[in-house]
């Protein structure tokens, strides 16, 4: 499922309102570039902010690219307990739209960097990106805060 054809998302929980439009345009282009280069699995943690924005865009793009998949990575199986009422948050609603849910016991960063060849990030602060560079040394990185 993963490997050379997987990408994960990493970024801030808050995106400035004035920058959302350009971030969405860059994110859209980055996804198109990766899909055209064989990336078919997109891994998300379902966190608020950039991660959820990116996952939502993948759900929309599945209509155009039938072979792309969205995989939700969760830390424990406790998150998968049945809902008594309708899901209220986007990550809860995404459970019904993702192609697969994977529950892990290891660190999330370790799990995705072992399995993905690309990362789309939203890191407006270059220092934050430098700090993550060591973790991402095996991944092709696109930072939509500054490029694409």
């Amino acid at each position: 499922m993963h490997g050379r054809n997987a990408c994960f998302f990493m970024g801030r929980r808050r995106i400035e309102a004035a920058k959302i439009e350009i971030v969405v345009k860059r994110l859209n282009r980055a996804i198109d570039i990766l899909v055209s280069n064989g990336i078919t699995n997109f891994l998300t943690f379902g966190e608020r902010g950039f991660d959820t924005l990116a996952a939502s865009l993948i759900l929309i793009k599945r209509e155009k690219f039938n072979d792309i998949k969205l995989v939700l990575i969760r830390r424990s199986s406790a998150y998968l307990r049945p809902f008594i009422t309708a899901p209220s948050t986007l990550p809860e609603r995404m459970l019904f739209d993702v192609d697969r849910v994977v529950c892990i016991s290891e660190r999330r960063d370790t799990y995705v960097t072992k399995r993905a060849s690309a990362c789309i990030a939203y890191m407006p602060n270059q220092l934050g990106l430098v700090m993550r560079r060591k973790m991402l040394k095996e991944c092709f990185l696109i930072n939509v805060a500054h490029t694409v």
Side-chain angles (χ1 to χ4, degrees), residues 76-129:
S76 77
S77 59
Y79 188 84
L80 299 177
R81 69 186 183 286
F83 296 109
I84 296 172
T85 60
S88 59
T89 65
L90 185 57
E92 288 174 352
R93 288 193 304 269
M94 282 185 356
L95 273 176
F96 297 99
D97 294 327
V98 297
D99 297 291
R100 185 171 178 196
V101 177
V102 176
C103 294
I104 61 171
S105 58
E106 64 187 300
R107 288 178 44 100
R108 297 181 314 172
D109 293 349
T110 303
Y111 180 86
V112 294
T113 53
K114 285 181 186 176
R115 290 161 176 82
S117 59
C119 173
I120 300 176
Y122 174 71
M123 297 293 233
N125 178 345
Q126 288 293 344
L127 179 60
L129 197 54

Side-chain angles (χ1 to χ4, degrees), residues 44-101:
T44 180
F45 300 122
E47 298 290 340
R48 285 179 280 145
F50 179 72
D51 201 48
T52 302
L53 175 66
S56 299
L57 193 53
I58 293 297
L59 291 174
I60 293 167
K61 285 189 168 289
R62 282 194 313 193
E63 295 175 17
K64 179 180 177 185
F65 303 109
N66 294 334
D67 58 338
I68 65 172
K69 307 288 184 226
L70 182 63
V71 179
L72 180 63
I73 309 297
R74 300 307 304 169
R75 286 193 196 171
S76 77
S77 59
Y79 188 84
L80 299 177
R81 69 186 183 286
F83 296 109
I84 296 172
T85 60
S88 59
T89 65
L90 185 57
E92 288 174 352
R93 288 193 304 269
M94 282 185 356
L95 273 176
F96 297 99
D97 294 327
V98 297
D99 297 291
R100 185 171 178 196
V101 177

Side-chain angles (χ1 to χ4, degrees), residues 1-13:
M1 174 188 82
H2 311 305
R4 302 308 307 165
N5 66 341
C7 170
F8 70 98
F9 305 112
M10 174 178 64
R12 302 272 181 189
R13 289 193 179 200

